[in-house]
Amino acid sequence: MQLDSLVGLARRRHTPRPPAPLIRLTVPDGMTAPLGCDAVAVPESFARAMTPRLPRMGCVYAAEGHWWWLVPSDSDVALEWPAPARYTAGAVVPDAARVPALIHCPDVSVPYTPPIPLYLALCRVTGTTPAWSRSVGTP
């Protein structure tokens, strides 16, 4: 093999795959998002168990077995969202076979679910101790 061939093989081996297309969840007409928007994705079975534990729900989108809850930007600061939740900055979700549909819209002008009650409800249904309740040195 010649050096050109080896270089070509090395480049093809390390060429990153293009990222999956993303969809940004939009705020419904008539609403404002003064704090920006992020999203917390939760499998539908967990989301249904969380709903009765929330004092107020903001915009919630659903598709492909997941619900996405809109929260203010930076709602992940100092919070370790427990698995199987996925926190996404900018309220972007993978471009799945189906665009997420808005399944809940609050009667207020902002689209947010309060992040602390959402976090606590998720911790409750996953059996996770909230980060601030753990002893030092406990994972």
Side-chain angles (χ1 to χ4, degrees):
M1 261 192 177
Q2 295 181 348
L3 184 56
D4 290 347
S5 298
L6 291 174
V7 169
L9 286 173
R11 283 189 181 145
R12 282 192 294 276
R13 195 176 108 227
H14 293 295
T15 302
R17 292 178 26 200
L22 300 174
I23 296 173
R24 184 176 304 276
L25 298 175
T26 59
V27 174
D29 290 340
M31 292 189 145
T32 60
L35 303 175
C37 276
D38 289 349
V40 179
V42 179
E44 184 177 352
S45 59
F46 286 96
R48 289 188 183 280
M50 291 166 50
T51 300
R53 300 177 189 282
L54 295 172
R56 185 173 65 79
M57 288 189 351
C59 291
V60 181
Y61 295 81
E64 306 294 324
H66 285 84
W67 287 13
W68 287 270
W69 309 77
L70 290 186
V71 294
S73 291
D74 299 324
S75 292
D76 61 336
V77 173
L79 289 180
E80 299 168 20
W81 291 86
R86 289 187 323 259
Y87 187 91
T88 60
V92 293
V93 299
D95 182 8
R98 211 164 44 118
V99 175
L102 181 64
I103 61 169
H104 184 268
C105 187
D107 294 331
V108 295
S109 62
V110 292
Y112 308 124
T113 296
I116 298 300
L118 182 65
Y119 173 78
L120 292 173
L122 182 60
C123 285
R124 179 72 175 182
V125 300
T126 61
T128 304
T129 302
W132 58 76
S133 296
R134 296 183 199 139
S135 300
V136 175
T138 302

